[in-house]
Amino acid sequence: MPNQKINMNTVWYKDAKGIGRIKSDNLQTQIAIPVPKGGSGEGANPQQLLMSSATACYALTLAYMLDRKKVPVAGFFMDTEGNIAKGDQLSITHRPHVVLSSSASKEDITVVEALILQAEKKCHIGHLLVKAGVPVGTEGKVSIDAGDDLTSNYIEKHQMEW
């Protein structure tokens, strides 16, 4: 694979209670120092950014693997939980819920259950985190679409823009 170059631009306003912005080709977000560390808390903090990277990597890896196996996916959604223990020790747990179309077979369910576990091992960011001593785990679920549109319900429940 050829070398890849990623450019990001960052700006910071004022002191520790200020805010900043990070921008790249397909990313733009506000950043801030968390309130407990003396900041404004009015933007993403480093732990959230790290977790979002791990979450995106896992989700994209799982989506790719599901597509390669030609599994009849109606959609999937995921909660990711990070816990920070004393000494700033972070642990991450992904909880994906894959919804298969009503035409899915028992074999499809078995394949998806295996892919849910394999995706973390194939995710480059998750792999780097584990090598750095960050525990990363997965607790997945698979269901068959019963016409409830669980993915849209999830989007609405969590007020996610689409």
Side-chain angles (χ1 to χ4, degrees):
M1 184 165 112
N3 290 342
Q4 184 179 4
K5 186 176 181 178
I6 300 170
N7 293 309
M8 298 191 89
N9 307 106
T10 307
V11 63
W12 185 263
Y13 297 99
K14 302 184 182 178
D15 56 15
K17 291 200 184 291
I19 58 170
R21 285 218 164 267
I22 293 178
K23 181 183 178 291
S24 187
D25 292 340
N26 295 311
L27 171 73
Q28 184 168 320
T29 193
Q30 189 164 299
I31 58 173
I33 297 170
V35 172
K37 301 227 180 202
S40 69
E42 295 179 16
N45 67 50
Q47 289 89 350
Q48 289 170 320
L49 293 169
L50 180 63
M51 281 187 57
S52 69
S53 182
T55 301
C57 184
Y58 178 87
L60 298 175
T61 301
L62 180 58
Y64 177 80
M65 294 172 77
L66 291 167
D67 184 67
R68 298 290 288 182
K69 290 291 186 177
K70 306 288 186 225
V71 181
V73 177
F76 78 85
F77 45 91
M78 181 169 72
D79 292 322
T80 297
E81 180 180 293
N83 287 298
I84 302 170
K86 288 185 179 182
D88 286 335
Q89 176 59 47
L90 174 66
S91 65
I92 298 173
T93 304
H94 301 297
R95 293 186 178 93
H97 182 163
V98 178
V99 182
L100 299 177
S101 70
S102 58
S103 64
S105 66
K106 288 185 181 199
E107 182 181 322
D108 290 328
I109 292 170
T110 302
V111 167
V112 172
E113 288 171 340
L115 292 178
I116 284 171
L117 296 175
Q118 290 173 18
E120 189 56 55
K121 292 174 180 63
K122 299 288 184 182
C123 165
H124 297 298
I125 302 299
H127 185 71
L128 286 171
L129 290 170
V130 169
K131 282 177 71 174
V134 175
V136 179
T138 305
E139 300 169 2
K141 179 178 179 179
V142 181
S143 63
I144 304 291
D145 184 16
D148 297 335
D149 195 0
L150 296 174
T151 305
S152 291
N153 292 343
Y154 184 87
I155 291 168
E156 186 177 317
K157 176 183 175 184
H158 294 282
Q159 301 174 346
M160 299 173 76
E161 294 181 22
W162 191 252

